Amino acid sequence: MTKKVLLVDVSDTAEMDTTGVYPNAVAAPGRAVAWMADLESEYRSSELQDRTRTIFTTCGRAPSYRGAAAANVLTSMEFQHVRFVDGAWQL
């Protein structure tokens, strides 16, 4: 069963090594989110294929520039419900 909402953590690898991945999130370090969401990529993630799924992106700390950039990438890839969470680790 696919969850309706997905959190994608786009923190870089060094940050993930230090803080870990946000709980229950998909790790997409750096710019990997584009490859993971590509329908034809050998790096595609099954969790990032449904363009109708609600997706929140974050890079963990405010300001979440990478989280916002990842949301823009996913929107340009025709995902319909994408938002970013600024400073998710501070929640």
Side-chain angles (χ1 to χ4, degrees):
M1 180 170 135
T2 301
K3 295 179 184 177
K4 293 185 180 203
V5 175
L6 179 67
L7 179 63
V8 179
D9 186 342
V10 296
S11 300
D12 66 32
T13 305
E15 290 171 323
M16 287 183 185
D17 288 345
T18 301
T19 62
V21 177
Y22 198 82
N24 300 310
V26 169
R31 298 180 186 186
V33 71
W35 299 318
M36 294 172 69
D38 189 312
L39 297 171
E40 304 299 321
S41 170
E42 64 183 275
Y43 303 104
R44 70 183 167 273
S45 165
S46 61
E47 295 172 305
L48 283 168
Q49 300 302 296
D50 181 356
R51 270 42 183 172
T52 63
R53 190 173 192 183
T54 299
I55 298 176
F56 292 94
T57 61
T58 188
C59 68
R61 305 227 187 279
S64 183
Y65 299 120
R66 281 172 289 169
N72 285 336
V73 166
L74 293 174
T75 299
S76 73
M77 295 176 80
E78 300 182 0
F79 282 82
Q80 299 172 16
H81 308 285
V82 182
R83 300 287 184 270
F84 77 98
V85 179
D86 198 18
W89 280 108
Q90 299 167 357
L91 294 176

